[in-house]
């Protein structure tokens, strides 16, 4: 499914039973960003419906385990194909275990999602992050996304965001 992961990791599509497992790693992986309000915000961004209705466009990376589908979560990407914009796909939420940062796991997840989006005729991929998440902003910029200015109250009062877009048809070989 994703063939360029570091040794000891394997990928599959998300499943309903992964919901609580993913929620369990959020606070640790985000290092308490924005405190308790941030923890609540992150959990509310990942309701079970994503693990039920967007499984074929979302990925989970696990550390290899003797028991199939029971390895420790190493990363995930929740994405979908826009129903309103036929040339657009959207990455809703991504997480990578901080111990794996810089090892190409996030990049491999995005490559897989870009390939999936292209296979469905999608030209653009959009995503957002909070302005405080400087690591996410830098990562998306390195991947070739174009960032907007901070959009105040984008997701409601006090929920500012930075929006990103990448054109998958522009120099496809250059997109990581």
């Amino acid at each position: 499914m994703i063939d360029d992961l570091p040794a000891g990791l394997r990928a599959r599509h998300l499943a309903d039973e992964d919901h609580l497992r993913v929620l369990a790693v959020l606070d640790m992986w985000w290092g308490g960003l924005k405190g308790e309000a941030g923890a609540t915000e992150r959990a509310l961004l990942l309701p079970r419906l994503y693990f039920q209705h967007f499984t074929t466009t979302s990925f989970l990376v696990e550390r290899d385990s003797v028991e199939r589908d029971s390895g420790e979560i190493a990363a995930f990407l929740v994405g979908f194909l826009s129903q309103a914009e036929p040339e657009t796909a959207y990455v809703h939420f991504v997480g990578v275990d901080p111990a794996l940062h810089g090892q190409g796991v996030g990049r491999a997840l995005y490559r897989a999602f870009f390939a999936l989006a292209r296979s469905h005729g999608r030209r653009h991929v959009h995503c957002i992050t909070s302005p405080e998440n400087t690591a996410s902003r830098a990562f998306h910029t390195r991947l070739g996304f174009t960032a907007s200015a901070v959009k105040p109250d984008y997701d409601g009062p006090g929920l500012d965001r930075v929006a990103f877009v990448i054109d998958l048809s522009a120099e496809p070989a250059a997109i990581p």
Side-chain angles (χ1 to χ4, degrees):
M1 171 176 292
I2 300 176
D3 56 6
D4 54 347
L5 290 168
L9 300 177
R10 61 185 162 80
R12 62 177 174 81
H13 287 292
L14 278 180
D16 188 16
E17 57 272 11
D18 297 319
H19 181 242
L20 293 178
R21 294 177 65 214
V22 168
L23 291 182
V25 301
L26 294 181
D27 285 341
M28 180 176 54
W29 288 5
W30 268 259
L33 182 68
K34 294 168 63 175
E36 184 146 338
T40 300
E41 185 181 327
R42 284 185 291 280
L44 290 173
L45 286 170
L46 281 173
R48 185 175 295 274
L49 72 92
Y50 286 102
F51 296 77
Q52 295 171 324
H53 300 285
F54 299 101
T55 57
T56 60
T57 55
S58 299
F59 303 97
L60 183 82
V61 176
E62 295 173 300
R63 288 177 174 85
D64 283 334
S65 169
V66 175
E67 296 179 36
R68 179 160 165 62
D69 296 334
S70 65
E72 181 185 348
I73 294 176
F76 65 91
L77 181 148
V78 176
F80 56 88
L81 306 174
S82 174
Q83 292 185 357
E85 297 178 25
E87 289 192 343
T88 300
Y90 189 83
V91 174
H92 175 67
F93 208 112
V94 179
V96 175
D97 182 337
L100 295 171
H101 285 185
Q103 295 184 37
V105 176
R107 186 175 299 272
L109 282 168
Y110 271 85
R111 272 195 209 113
F113 188 76
F114 291 164
L116 184 145
R118 281 189 190 105
S119 76
H120 287 276
R122 304 308 166 115
R123 180 178 167 184
H124 301 102
V125 174
H126 292 255
C127 59
I128 60 170
T129 195
S130 66
E132 299 88 359
N133 194 338
T134 56
S136 175
R137 291 173 72 176
F139 173 77
H140 285 91
T141 300
R142 284 192 308 273
L143 281 182
F145 280 86
T146 300
S148 71
V150 173
K151 296 177 173 271
D153 301 329
Y154 182 89
D155 274 335
L159 298 174
D160 303 345
R161 299 289 184 254
V162 174
F164 295 92
V165 64
I166 192 167
D167 184 342
L168 298 179
S169 67
E171 300 180 46
I175 295 174

